[in-house]
Amino acid sequence: MSQEFITISPIDGREAVRRPYANEQQIQAILHQACAAQRQWQDVDVLERARVLTQAVERFVAAKSDIAQAITTQMGRPSRHAPLEVDGFAARARHMIAIAPYALQPVAAAPGSDRERFIRREPIGVTLTIAPWNYPLLTAVNSIVPALMAGNAVILKHSEQTPLCAELMHTAFMEAGLPAGVFSYVHADHATTQRLVRAPEVGFVSFTGSVRGGRAVEESAAGRFIGVGLELGGNDPAYVRGDADIEAAAESLVDGAFFNAGQSCCGIQRIYVARRVHDAFIEQAAVLTNRYVLGDPRDPATTLGPVVRAAAAQGVREVVEQAVRQGARNVADAAYFPAARAGSAYVAPALLTHVDHTMRIMRDECFGPVVGVMPVDSDDEAVSLMNDSPYGLTAAVYTRDREAAIGIGQRVHTGTFFMNRCDYLDPGLAWTGVKDSGRGVSLSVLGYEQLTRPKSFHLRMA
């Protein structure tokens, strides 16, 4: 068994980070310290927790340039885009801090008794956050900050592709005065991560990653009777109705498909377009796709960086090649993307037409800059195709008709439904999925429910 891991940068295939895995003695110490620190942290007033965590967020934002550089180096996001994730981290954290006093206040029982009755929301204890590399800050903040605001201690296990994000976050939080042990991180392999899920000290697990990874977490937690929040994969659809603003829809959906090199669980992968505007949409989308600049993400001119590793790029190419063999046409012009080359992590964007649901691009999650576009003849056909997927994280419709959008949204099996936008997460709304996209809720006031346990009080005066 390896005692360390090496992070390879997709930019040039060179070593970016080398770290030792935590050993059993270190794991035991982290768990023990987290339990001890949590017992004291839960007694800290929620407004004081808010003060400390607000300071932690400010410390983190102050290191934006270093954090953005770490993101670019570790997973290849263009340097012009990487700072946006720090801003997003801060916005989500500040929102969850602001709503905590309301979300955590006692709940009065419904009228019907002359006794005093209420329900308190109490912390679970120690929570484990298992975060992925594709959005190393945004996925982590969804559980870390509300868990801490609720009075829990948090142990963060980050992806081996983005270990610096965990370290930089921990440094900022400690410098802000968060008590030692309340927030910690651990570099762990799969076996040790499963051991953490099974650890009796851990009372809740938040996992963001693949469906296979989610199943592994559920299996490790089986029989423990603890909460498990799973935010898993997606193959998210969009529908462009005949009354849509085609130019605006194309601009939004091309960005939704290709931002972060398509490595987003809620990125757009399937687009259904009303037949009468299909050709106009394709024409506009092709122009926008061919404007991307694929290259070294450290170059300010680059708008499309590499995918996370060369093997992932090869997998994306295979999905495109398979679709083309089955009759699809790629209307993105390869001549615009000379940086794309076999054996590297650099893969050109693909805008596929003449696709159908026998193709992997329309059925499975493809974590890369690839999107398929199909014409449809009615709202009913669009809804049927949107629902023809094992995933259900987000879905979008582009239309000028609000009532039609709501009606379609009620019929689509998804966790979040958008009108005239996509690939976005509003911290004021519940972030959740259906089917193989997972279960549980993060963000919004509902996000506090899975990070606390209810305790009922029934008071009878003598």
Side-chain angles (χ1 to χ4, degrees):
M1 181 183 295
S2 176
Q3 302 299 308
E4 65 177 10
F5 66 93
I6 300 173
T7 301
I8 300 299
S9 174
I11 297 173
D12 50 19
R14 297 180 181 179
E15 177 181 324
V17 183
R18 182 188 293 259
R19 291 288 187 272
Y21 286 124
N23 58 37
E24 181 60 25
Q25 184 178 6
Q26 291 168 326
I27 294 293
Q28 288 285 4
I30 290 170
L31 289 168
H32 176 77
Q33 187 179 38
C35 288
Q38 189 275 327
R39 287 191 289 271
Q40 296 184 15
W41 180 246
Q42 70 178 354
D43 293 332
V44 175
D45 182 77
V46 68
L47 295 181
E48 176 60 14
R49 292 180 211 154
R51 186 194 67 78
V52 174
L53 287 172
T54 297
Q55 182 62 31
V57 172
E58 298 309 314
R59 288 269 187 169
F60 193 65
V61 171
K64 181 192 289 191
S65 60
D66 291 339
I67 297 164
Q69 182 179 354
I71 292 173
T72 296
T73 300
Q74 293 173 107
M75 54 79 64
R77 185 176 305 147
S79 59
R80 65 191 293 166
H81 297 152
L84 299 177
E85 187 166 356
V86 182
D87 296 336
F89 174 98
R92 293 186 192 179
R94 288 167 180 152
H95 178 83
M96 295 307 289
I97 291 169
I99 67 173
Y102 169 75
L104 296 171
Q105 67 183 345
V107 179
S113 173
D114 58 357
R115 310 287 167 79
E116 183 180 0
R117 300 173 302 148
F118 57 89
I119 305 165
R120 288 191 60 187
R121 300 193 185 279
E122 298 199 339
I124 290 171
V126 177
T127 70
L128 172 65
T129 292
I130 305 173
W133 52 264
N134 63 321
Y135 281 95
L137 308 182
L138 294 181
T139 53
V141 72
N142 291 356
S143 60
I144 290 173
V145 168
L148 293 172
M149 280 301 303
N152 299 296
V154 174
I155 299 173
L156 170 62
K157 187 279 172 190
H158 223 303
S159 167
E160 294 176 11
Q161 192 66 38
T162 47
L164 295 180
C165 293
E167 295 175 9
L168 290 166
M169 197 183 307
H170 181 262
T171 296
F173 280 39
M174 293 304 98
E175 289 178 349
L178 198 67
V182 171
F183 175 55
S184 55
Y185 70 89
V186 59
H187 295 316
D189 60 15
H190 290 302
T192 302
T193 302
Q194 289 177 311
R195 179 255 188 271
L196 282 167
V197 174
R198 291 191 294 264
E201 295 88 348
V202 171
F204 180 82
V205 179
S206 174
F207 173 83
T208 304
S210 67
V211 175
R212 183 177 64 178
R215 290 195 178 104
V217 169
E218 282 204 320
E219 289 169 3
S220 296
R224 293 210 51 226
F225 311 119
I226 64 172
V228 175
L230 304 173
E231 200 265 85
L232 309 178
N235 183 350
D236 289 6
Y239 171 35
V240 181
R241 296 182 82 233
D243 67 339
D245 181 329
I246 299 302
E247 183 175 342
E251 182 176 359
S252 173
L253 289 169
V254 167
D255 179 71
F258 300 142
F259 188 82
N260 202 37
Q263 300 169 123
S264 174
C265 51
C266 63
I268 294 297
Q269 195 173 315
R270 301 177 286 142
I271 304 174
Y272 306 99
V273 184
R275 192 175 298 275
R276 69 182 180 86
V277 297
H278 175 267
D279 291 351
F281 176 87
I282 291 295
E283 181 179 0
Q284 181 68 21
V287 169
L288 294 171
T289 299
N290 290 331
R291 287 179 184 169
Y292 277 90
V293 178
L294 175 67
D296 189 323
R298 297 168 296 191
D299 185 339
T302 295
T303 56
L304 187 67
V307 296
V308 67
R309 56 183 65 91
Q314 181 56 30
V316 173
R317 294 187 191 99
E318 290 172 359
V319 169
V320 175
E321 291 166 2
Q322 182 190 68
V324 171
R325 286 196 303 270
Q326 293 178 261
R329 298 178 187 176
N330 184 3
V331 299
D333 190 342
Y336 286 97
F337 309 102
R341 56 190 184 276
S344 77
Y346 293 84
V347 58
L351 180 65
L352 300 175
T353 64
H354 296 79
V355 294
D356 59 51
H357 276 227
T358 67
M359 301 175 184
R360 286 173 58 194
I361 182 61
M362 305 301 281
R363 298 194 326 267
D364 303 327
E365 183 174 44
C366 177
F367 231 45
V370 184
V371 64
V373 186
M374 282 182 66
V376 293
D377 292 309
S378 67
D379 290 352
D380 288 343
E381 183 183 9
V383 169
S384 177
L385 290 169
M386 292 170 87
N387 286 337
D388 184 25
S389 170
Y391 301 101
L393 189 57
T394 76
V397 66
Y398 288 76
T399 178
R400 290 182 170 90
D401 189 332
R402 176 183 179 275
E403 296 308 313
I406 293 175
I408 291 167
Q410 290 173 336
R411 297 162 61 195
V412 174
H413 306 151
T414 188
T416 298
F417 188 79
F418 299 102
M419 174 181 172
N420 295 331
R421 77 175 309 168
C422 65
D423 190 26
Y424 175 73
L425 194 158
D426 183 338
L429 295 175
W431 187 242
T432 185
V434 300
K435 298 187 282 189
D436 280 359
S437 287
R439 62 182 174 85
V441 176
S442 63
L443 299 179
S444 77
V445 294
L446 298 184
Y448 277 99
E449 293 185 2
Q450 68 179 13
L451 296 168
T452 56
R453 59 168 57 94
K455 179 185 284 186
S456 295
F457 285 75
H458 188 129
L459 309 180
R460 176 183 179 182
M461 302 301 294

